[in-house]
């Protein structure tokens, strides 16, 4: 099952995001290598600065998605004000299975 992790950064936390980014990228690369990552990227504010994240992961159930979310270095660094996890169905423009 696919789950969308919709993450909103705490106000004024850009430096936490920047400082933690290398570990976050390594975490996502690990998920990608394990075929657990569909796609990911930051939300941007009006000035084009990151202020949240959208990460879509493959997990067996909600508990599995919650565990992946909690293991993200951004989450462990306390970057997020909120994280909403929603089951998601990729309907249009889904890449062909490889």
């Amino acid at each position: 099952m696919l789950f969308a992790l919709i993450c909103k950064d705490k106000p004024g936390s850009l430096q936490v995001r920047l400082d933690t980014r290398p570990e976050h990228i390594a975490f996502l690369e690990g998920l990608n290598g394990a075929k657990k990552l569909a796609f990911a990227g930051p939300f941007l504010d009006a000035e084009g600065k990151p202020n949240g994240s959208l990460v879509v992961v493959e997990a067996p159930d909600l508990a599995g998605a919650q565990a992946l979310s909690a293991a993200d270095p951004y989450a462990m660094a306390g970057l997020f004000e909120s994280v909403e996890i929603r089951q998601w169905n990729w309907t249009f423009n889904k890449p062909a299975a490889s």
Side-chain angles (χ1 to χ4, degrees), residues 36-70:
K36 293 182 179 180
L37 179 66
F39 59 86
F43 290 113
L44 304 176
D45 66 15
E47 297 172 356
K49 295 180 183 173
N51 65 355
S53 299
L54 172 61
V55 180
V56 177
V57 297
E58 178 75 35
D61 52 27
L62 179 59
Q66 290 169 329
L68 289 175
S69 177

Side-chain angles (χ1 to χ4, degrees), residues 23-93:
E23 292 88 356
H24 170 72
I25 295 299
F27 172 74
L28 293 179
E29 288 173 346
L31 290 180
N32 198 44
K35 299 189 186 283
K36 293 182 179 180
L37 179 66
F39 59 86
F43 290 113
L44 304 176
D45 66 15
E47 297 172 356
K49 295 180 183 173
N51 65 355
S53 299
L54 172 61
V55 180
V56 177
V57 297
E58 178 75 35
D61 52 27
L62 179 59
Q66 290 169 329
L68 289 175
S69 177
D72 185 329
Y74 279 170
M76 293 191 297
L79 174 64
F80 300 133
E81 176 179 85
S82 64
V83 177
E84 182 180 1
I85 301 175
R86 300 188 60 184
Q87 189 172 347
W88 187 69
N89 183 22
W90 196 333
T91 305
F92 290 96
N93 296 326

